[in-house]
């Protein structure tokens, strides 16, 4: 068997474009609801911006995964950053809900291409006992890029009005996306199963469905849906409750960002050592309990601490979920299975913001957080029950 199947690459070259391509992520998640609110867009419209992004990923992720197994990883990985450049440039001049929706759609295409191909390449280069650690390193690389980009964006907000800071921030993010595109062109192909021959069978490989795959997809879908319930509205909720500006909110959540920038590479190792199900269960149970309590805290300090712990929970669960997909994926179907998994995640993430926005606008604001927490606890129980064993060795 090829050495790519047996050896882990500690710092593969695709991590560099992932780092620079991720610069806009944190700033966009924080500032998009605030910017849209300033333009008079309501919570449902803001939720729609998140739904457009995740809807694009829902549409393209399975297609990308299918193509990765037939045409290789490199082309699709590099294409991701071309779409990021287009999206960042459109964000520069966005002044209406239609501009935001188009920019988010293009960003969703880029995210589909980057994450499915990057996670598939990570799977190519790592065997099961190191997959959790490798997936964690991929996550921390992206988050570190996001934190550097956030520092740049929020520094601009400290000196400029929102409209001007927004423009200059996304000019910078567009330039970093160009850097990521150029770096991605140097990334080598990682698949060893795409081009063995041009036989008819090679281009008609189908995924054999199994109970394990169905369970993994359900866990991925439900956890993504639960998390997305609060994604478009938690900043609006805290901004309204405490009447503070976005800079203060960013400082409140900055330590949680550091958790995501550091912990996943280690929590991924925990899942390699103690099993995927246990780590997913512990992480999501922590996040679920804290989500239920978060809207009822009256102190911003307690909210900051709670969100740090909430982030610890997600930093534990996310690499373990990705590694679980790696465990059940045969080499010749890695991209396809990863694309299906990302499609399940995209489905949950597309439906969650719409549901969360509706709950926030027309029911009780706190119930979005409570619903998120209950669903995460349910997923934690299912993960522990379904995936007790340390490594799921049977392939799909």
């Amino acid at each position: 068997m090829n050495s790519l199947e047996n050896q882990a690459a500690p710092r593969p070259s695709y991590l560099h474009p992932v780092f620079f391509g991720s610069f806009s992520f944190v700033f966009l998640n924080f500032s998009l609801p605030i910017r849209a609110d300033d333009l008079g867009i309501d919570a449902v419209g803001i939720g729609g911006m998140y739904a457009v992004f995740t809807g694009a990923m829902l549409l393209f992720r399975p297609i990308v995964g299918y193509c990765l197994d037939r045409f290789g990883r490199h082309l699709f990985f590099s294409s991701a950053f071309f779409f990021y450049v287009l999206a960042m440039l459109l964000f520069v001049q966005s002044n209406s809900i239609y501009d935001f929706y188009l920019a988010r759609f293009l960003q969703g295409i880029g995210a589909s291409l980057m994450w499915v191909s990057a996670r598939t390449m990570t799977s190519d280069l790592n065997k099961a006992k190191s997959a959790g650690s490798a997936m964690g390193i991929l996550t921390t690389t992206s988050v570190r890029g996001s934190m550097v980009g956030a520092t740049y964006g929020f520094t601009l907000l400290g000196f400029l009005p929102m409209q001007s800071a927004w423009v200059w921030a996304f000019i910078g993010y567009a330039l970093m996306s160009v850097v990521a595109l150029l770096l991605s062109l140097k990334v080598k192909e990682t698949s060893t199963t795409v081009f063995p021959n041009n036989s008819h069978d090679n281009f008609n490989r189908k995924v054999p469905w199994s109970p394990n795959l169905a369970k993994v997809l359900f866990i991925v879908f439900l956890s993504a849906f639960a998390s997305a319930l609060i994604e478009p509205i938690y900043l609006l909720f805290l901004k309204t409750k405490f009447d503070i500006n976005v800079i203060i909110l960013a400082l409140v959540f900055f330590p949680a960002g550091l958790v995501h920038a550091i912990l996943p590479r280690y929590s991924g190792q925990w899942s390699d050592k103690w099993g995927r199900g246990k780590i997913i269960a512990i992480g999501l149970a922590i996040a679920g309990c804290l989500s239920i309590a978060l809207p009822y805290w009256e102190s911003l300090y307690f909210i900051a601490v709670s969100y740090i712990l909430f982030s610890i929970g997600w930093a534990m669960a996310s690499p373990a979920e990705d590694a679980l997909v790696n465990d059940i994926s045969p080499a010749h179907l890695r991209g396809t299975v990863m694309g299906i998994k990302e499609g399940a995640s995209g489905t949950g993430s597309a439906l969650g913001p719409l549901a969360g926005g509706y709950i926030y606008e027309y029911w009780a604001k706190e119930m979005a957080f409570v619903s998120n927490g209950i669903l995460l606890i349910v997923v934690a129980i299912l993960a522990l029950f379904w995936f007790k064993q340390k490594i799921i060795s049977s392939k799909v």
Side-chain angles (χ1 to χ4, degrees):
M1 187 176 291
N2 191 287
S3 61
L4 288 176
E5 298 288 334
N6 293 309
Q7 297 181 15
R11 298 299 299 178
S13 58
Y14 62 80
L15 292 178
H16 302 300
V18 167
F19 175 83
F20 288 104
S22 300
F23 265 44
S24 69
F25 292 176
V26 168
F27 182 80
L28 186 58
N29 281 339
F30 270 91
S31 60
L32 180 60
I34 308 302
R35 174 68 172 152
D37 187 51
D38 288 345
L39 294 173
I41 301 171
D42 64 16
V44 175
I46 294 171
M49 294 178 191
Y50 288 82
V52 165
F53 173 74
T54 52
M57 291 194 291
L58 169 62
L59 176 64
F60 285 99
R61 280 171 166 179
I63 297 172
V64 172
Y66 179 90
C67 292
L68 291 178
D69 290 330
R70 285 146 184 84
F71 308 111
R73 326 308 194 199
H74 180 264
L75 173 64
F76 299 94
F77 182 66
S78 294
S79 298
F81 305 104
F82 172 75
F83 282 97
Y84 277 166
V85 172
L86 295 181
M88 298 306 112
L89 291 175
L90 188 54
F91 275 125
V92 170
Q93 59 88 47
S94 293
N95 289 302
S96 72
I97 190 171
Y98 304 106
D99 294 334
F100 284 119
Y101 276 32
L102 179 56
R104 290 290 275 173
F105 183 75
L106 293 173
Q107 186 194 10
I109 296 174
S112 301
L113 290 161
M114 187 184 84
W115 283 114
V116 179
S117 55
R119 285 173 174 144
T120 303
M121 288 189 288
T122 302
S123 187
D124 287 339
L125 296 172
N126 293 273
K127 52 189 177 179
K129 69 179 183 179
S130 63
S133 175
M135 292 294 182
I137 291 172
L138 175 62
T139 299
T140 57
T141 298
S142 175
V143 174
R144 288 172 184 176
S146 299
M147 296 298 289
V148 173
T151 301
Y152 162 70
F154 287 115
T155 299
L156 291 173
L157 272 180
F159 293 96
L160 298 171
M162 168 60 86
Q163 182 176 354
S164 298
W166 176 275
V167 170
W168 284 108
F170 281 95
I171 289 174
Y173 298 146
L175 291 174
M176 290 301 99
S177 296
V178 171
V179 171
L181 175 60
L182 295 175
L183 290 172
S184 73
L185 298 176
K186 300 180 180 180
V187 175
K188 295 181 179 180
E189 178 61 52
T190 61
S191 175
T192 60
T193 63
V194 176
F195 305 113
N197 58 62
N198 291 320
S199 68
H200 177 77
D201 180 67
N202 186 51
F203 285 87
N204 286 276
R205 294 172 287 189
K206 296 181 180 180
V207 176
W209 289 90
S210 71
N212 274 344
L213 179 58
K215 291 172 183 177
V216 169
L217 295 180
F218 185 74
I219 284 176
V220 168
F221 165 78
L222 200 57
S223 60
F225 175 81
S227 175
L229 277 173
I230 62 172
E231 187 172 6
I233 52 89
Y234 71 93
L235 286 176
L236 294 177
F237 177 81
L238 295 177
K239 182 174 180 286
T240 302
K241 182 172 182 175
F242 294 100
D243 192 25
I244 54 179
N245 64 41
V246 68
I247 298 294
I248 301 300
L249 282 176
L251 291 175
V252 169
F253 288 103
F254 183 78
L258 292 179
V259 169
H260 279 291
I262 297 171
L263 185 60
R265 68 178 300 167
Y266 300 105
S267 63
Q269 293 174 5
W270 302 341
S271 78
D272 292 334
K273 184 176 182 180
W274 294 306
R276 317 302 189 202
K278 292 178 183 177
I279 300 302
I280 292 171
I282 294 171
L284 293 186
I286 292 172
C289 292
L290 288 165
S291 181
I292 292 172
L294 193 145
Y296 299 103
W297 294 124
E298 296 300 327
S299 166
L300 202 58
Y301 171 79
F302 285 122
I303 286 178
V305 173
S306 294
Y307 205 74
I308 291 172
L309 298 175
F310 181 86
S311 298
I312 289 174
W314 269 110
M316 292 175 63
S318 181
E321 280 190 0
D322 291 335
L324 190 56
V325 177
N326 174 81
D327 294 344
I328 66 171
S329 302
H332 67 290
L333 290 172
R334 281 183 183 137
T336 302
V337 175
M338 190 63 71
I340 293 171
K341 174 261 182 184
E342 295 290 335
S345 175
T347 302
S349 297
L351 297 175
L354 295 175
Y358 183 87
I359 292 170
Y360 183 88
E361 194 75 27
Y362 299 110
W363 191 12
K365 293 177 172 57
E366 295 82 2
M367 283 306 299
F369 296 89
V370 174
S371 299
N372 170 53
I374 292 172
L375 287 174
L376 290 178
I377 292 171
V378 169
V379 177
I381 295 170
L382 291 176
L384 186 62
F385 179 74
W386 282 340
F387 299 106
K388 295 178 182 178
Q389 58 268 57
K390 182 178 176 182
I391 298 290
I392 310 299
S393 58
S394 59
K395 298 293 185 180
V396 183

